Amino acid sequence: MRAFYDSPELRWKAIQDDYAADSAARDRMEDIEYSLQGKDGAPTNSCWEYVNLVLPQLVYQNPSLNIDSRIPGEPVFEAMGLRYALESLMARQRWNYTWEQAFTDALAWRGVTMVSTEKVAAPHFMHGREVIDWNQKPVKVSREYTYQEPRLYYIRPQDFFIDSEATTTATARRMGHRWTDTLGHLKACAEADPSYNMSAIDAFSGRGGDKASDTVIVRQMYVPNYLDPEALKAYDGDEDPEKDGLHHGTIYTMIEGADSGGGVDLRKPRVYRGPACGPYQVYSCVPLPGRKHRTAPLMATWKQINRDARVGDACIRAGEAFKRVTLATEEAAKAIRNMEEDGLAEFGAAAEIMEQAVQDIQMGGIPAELANFYGMTRDSVDRTLGISDTQRGIATKDTTATAESIADKSTDIKIGMLRTALHRTAADACYVAGWHAMHSTDFIEPLSDDARKAGLETMRRAGMPIPPEADTDMDGPATIYVGGSALDADDPNKAFDGMMIEIEPMSMERTSEHMQQKRIMEAGNLISLAVQIRGAAPDFDAARFLDDSGAKLNMPGLGKYLESGAQQQQMGQAQQPGQVQPGMPGTPQGAIR
């Protein structure tokens, strides 16, 4: 039996089948987009309100990373350098903007990103400078040299496809995405890269007029854990994809054939150099019982949202059709008309008869039953999505501080699963970027001065010698992180596999002014506690305790408010003889530890 990757025809069919399997979800996604833009005429835009209230609690800024090494010794410094390098990379490329869109898609259906590498020019401000890499080796930056860095790309969920028979991304036999490109650009790429199929590009000549402006949909498919023999034959690098442990799949790039309507290879199959998890990240929210598939909040509650929109639209149409009409007999109407013109009305009938001759009636309007039904549908949407008036910022006369506190805690619990699932996938993107950083000698990232100080402090605690040129101020040599350290090991993946990359909780969300004030108080209490512990135990690393604790509360850098480890050691040595060391019962008088 032939596998789906054995020929271009089978690969193209697999891609089309995967797209067809998601057609229902793709249609629902379009309905949600239509509703979120307010085009359905509903009195309340539930989709927009939910995204607007929940998204800032999921992603608002780039995360703080926590990278530890399971292997002691030098890898500890590598983990520290990798952390600062990735945080600098994310800030410079503004990954939080990409995550905002991917997380929004995940609330509706699924979010998709891809971490890939490309050649970029070295920063010109670094040209000619003497820099010191994380391993304290001098490096001179050259403008002529190009560096390779991972980038986070956003992919529309409608353009992504995945194995329709897979339950998770880990069990998928294939996945990929599509994009629109111009034939002129593809031809320019083919002239520079022999892996492109120029004949397939030339087959589109004359379609749509100007060939350079004609567009074509390109489809890329990633097959994990399979190295295509043709890809191995076409590989011209210095590595051994079959044995080096750095290549974990095959990438196929295809376009639709000009004549047959089927697919043809735009490029030769090529081996994928990257971690085993692959280049794609799929962001999904809540797991379904008995299945490994996950669903999105707006997708799961769409029936309630759509019903609320339909009932609300009926209320609006009924209200717009409301009319107030006055009915009168011919004689009464003539009298009323004379009164309006001359201010004088002649009545030939008694007043009681006139009351019966003139009647005001109402036509249309919102029936009480319809208004009550709309209130029920609105309440069901709020309960399902977990939206309350407190979260909206609306305070009623019955709202109390206790009720608001309970509502805030309940809201945090409701989005706890969303936050955990989405941040876990975001950490996977950081994992892929970290893999490329440690497995590419072409990666270089300038670091902040905080990174240099943190590295020196770690070296002091470990009793390691510090080069004089490293212990300088910012006007001295810049500190950079140079990648490729994993390639120096016998097993290139062993060093990186020892890295544990996690996102610090709450570091990506937006905090309110009230929460900021609360955390300022918590920071003061933490510093006070650290000072007290250090007074009882001089060997206690108070600065590291504050850094670790502060990072978990989205308050990084608290350790800088205390003296460094070297200053603590000097203070300990300056203690007067004969003083009993606090926290060390049984220390003889006059003894120096």
Side-chain angles (χ1 to χ4, degrees):
M1 182 177 180
R2 302 178 66 188
F4 67 89
Y5 45 72
D6 284 341
S7 67
E9 293 78 14
L10 293 176
R11 292 195 291 269
W12 184 262
K13 183 179 183 304
I15 293 174
Q16 297 303 103
D17 291 343
D18 292 339
Y19 274 120
D22 288 334
S23 60
R26 195 175 292 110
D27 293 340
R28 181 61 52 83
M29 179 71 173
E30 293 180 358
D31 294 338
I32 294 175
E33 288 181 353
Y34 186 83
S35 176
L36 195 146
Q37 298 177 47
K39 296 181 179 180
D40 56 1
T44 302
N45 193 330
S46 301
C47 295
W48 181 90
E49 184 180 52
Y50 179 76
V51 172
N52 189 49
L53 293 176
V54 172
L55 188 63
Q57 302 180 65
L58 301 176
V59 56
Y60 186 76
Q61 56 194 3
N62 284 312
S64 297
L65 298 181
N66 180 21
I67 303 180
D68 293 326
S69 174
R70 300 183 180 93
I71 306 173
E74 287 293 333
V76 175
F77 295 95
E78 181 69 31
M80 185 181 302
L82 182 63
R83 170 202 165 189
Y84 283 103
L86 291 182
E87 289 182 350
S88 174
L89 181 74
M90 289 187 294
R92 182 164 50 82
Q93 296 182 3
R94 298 182 179 180
W95 282 26
N96 57 323
Y97 287 9
T98 304
W99 274 324
E100 281 181 2
Q101 186 62 59
F103 282 21
T104 302
D105 295 341
L107 295 177
W109 178 19
R110 64 186 179 192
V112 184
T113 59
M114 179 182 67
V115 177
S116 182
T117 58
E118 65 177 2
K119 295 289 185 179
V120 295
H124 288 183
F125 70 90
M126 297 289 293
H127 172 62
R129 291 200 57 182
E130 285 285 349
V131 298
I132 301 176
D133 67 10
W134 196 250
N135 295 319
Q136 311 305 323
K137 298 179 181 178
V139 178
K140 189 172 183 178
V141 181
S142 172
R143 181 181 300 179
E144 290 74 21
Y145 191 69
T146 57
Y147 298 98
Q148 191 176 31
E149 66 179 16
R151 290 182 175 271
L152 182 71
Y153 294 94
Y154 165 74
I155 298 175
R156 294 177 69 246
Q158 297 93 326
D159 294 333
F160 179 74
F161 68 90
I162 190 171
D163 183 7
S164 57
E165 298 180 4
T167 54
T168 64
T169 55
T171 60
R173 298 172 297 171
R174 58 184 177 269
M175 64 184 71
H177 72 289
R178 63 188 178 190
W179 70 92
T180 301
D181 210 333
T182 64
L183 292 174
H185 177 257
L186 294 179
K187 183 176 181 180
C189 294
E191 293 174 350
D193 188 347
S195 67
Y196 279 80
N197 185 356
M198 182 64 79
S199 61
I201 301 175
D202 289 337
F204 286 87
S205 300
R207 295 181 58 193
D210 185 9
K211 177 182 177 181
S213 63
D214 201 3
T215 59
V216 60
I217 298 178
V218 183
R219 294 168 175 82
Q220 174 178 291
M221 179 172 65
Y222 164 67
V223 179
N225 304 317
Y226 172 71
L227 299 179
D228 191 292
E230 294 185 18
L232 294 174
K233 184 178 180 180
Y235 179 77
D236 59 353
D238 300 330
E239 299 172 334
D240 187 354
E242 293 184 280
K243 300 179 181 179
D244 58 13
L246 301 177
H247 300 78
H248 297 91
T250 303
I251 295 179
Y252 301 94
T253 307
M254 307 185 70
I255 58 176
E256 184 177 354
D259 301 326
S260 63
V264 295
D265 286 332
L266 175 64
R267 302 180 64 179
K268 297 178 181 178
R270 58 194 188 277
V271 292
Y272 166 69
R273 188 182 190 274
C277 59
Y280 294 99
Q281 299 83 43
V282 182
Y283 303 79
S284 52
C285 295
V286 182
L288 296 176
R291 300 174 62 187
K292 291 185 178 181
H293 282 299
R294 290 175 176 261
T295 187
L298 295 180
M299 186 76 72
T301 59
W302 174 246
K303 287 188 176 181
Q304 289 90 336
I305 295 174
N306 189 36
R307 180 181 60 192
D308 175 69
R310 288 186 286 105
V311 175
D313 182 59
C315 290
I316 291 178
R317 286 187 282 104
E320 291 175 344
F322 173 77
K323 293 182 180 179
R324 187 182 181 91
V325 181
T326 300
L327 300 181
T329 62
E330 183 178 356
E331 182 181 1
K334 181 179 179 180
I336 294 174
R337 192 177 303 111
N338 292 336
M339 181 181 65
E340 293 177 350
E341 295 177 355
D342 304 328
L344 177 65
E346 298 180 359
F347 293 97
E352 295 80 4
I353 299 178
M354 283 299 301
E355 292 180 358
Q356 298 178 3
V358 180
Q359 294 290 333
D360 288 335
I361 64 171
Q362 297 179 358
M363 300 178 61
I366 304 176
E369 294 80 3
L370 183 60
N372 293 334
F373 185 44
Y374 177 66
M376 184 187 72
T377 59
R378 183 95 287 272
D379 185 65
S380 68
V381 172
D382 288 347
R383 288 178 179 273
T384 305
L385 293 177
I387 302 298
S388 63
D389 287 340
T390 302
Q391 194 173 358
R392 294 186 177 101
I394 301 175
T396 62
K397 63 179 181 179
D398 298 328
T399 304
T400 63
T402 302
E404 290 182 357
S405 177
I406 295 174
D408 288 340
K409 292 181 180 179
S410 300
T411 301
D412 187 69
I413 293 174
K414 289 179 180 178
I415 68 173
M417 175 61 71
L418 308 182
R419 183 188 293 116
T420 300
L422 297 178
H423 287 186
R424 185 187 300 120
T425 309
D428 293 341
C430 299
Y431 177 90
V432 178
W435 190 98
H436 286 292
M438 289 188 62
H439 292 83
S440 175
T441 56
D442 295 335
F443 177 81
I444 180 173
E445 182 68 25
L447 305 181
S448 65
D449 197 47
D450 290 339
R452 180 184 64 85
K453 293 178 180 179
L456 295 176
E457 182 61 29
T458 302
M459 295 176 68
R460 289 191 184 98
R461 285 197 296 262
M464 300 176 61
I466 300 176
E469 62 271 16
D471 197 4
T472 57
D473 296 330
M474 273 300 294
D475 56 353
T479 303
I480 63 173
Y481 176 90
V482 178
S485 61
L487 300 177
D488 298 332
D490 295 335
D491 184 353
N493 285 319
K494 184 177 181 180
F496 181 74
D497 290 341
M499 299 294 174
M500 297 179 292
I501 302 179
E502 296 177 349
I503 290 179
E504 293 288 358
M506 299 182 292
S507 63
M508 296 182 69
E509 68 180 77
R510 180 191 183 277
T511 55
S512 62
E513 182 179 356
H514 170 72
M515 182 60 67
Q516 289 176 346
Q517 294 175 354
K518 179 181 177 182
R519 288 177 178 171
I520 290 174
M521 296 297 296
E522 293 174 348
N525 294 334
L526 274 176
I527 295 175
S528 177
L529 176 62
V531 171
Q532 293 178 12
I533 298 177
R534 189 178 64 178
D539 292 335
F540 174 68
D541 194 343
R544 186 171 183 179
F545 166 77
L546 289 176
D547 284 337
D548 293 342
S549 302
K552 291 178 172 58
L553 297 174
N554 197 12
M555 296 183 296
L558 291 181
K560 65 185 178 183
Y561 296 106
L562 294 182
E563 298 88 351
S564 64
Q567 292 173 321
Q568 294 182 38
Q569 185 177 5
Q570 293 175 2
M571 292 175 58
Q573 294 176 353
Q575 290 181 340
Q576 296 295 329
Q579 180 181 359
V580 177
Q581 299 291 337
M584 294 295 296
T587 302
Q589 293 288 336
I592 300 179
R593 294 189 298 115

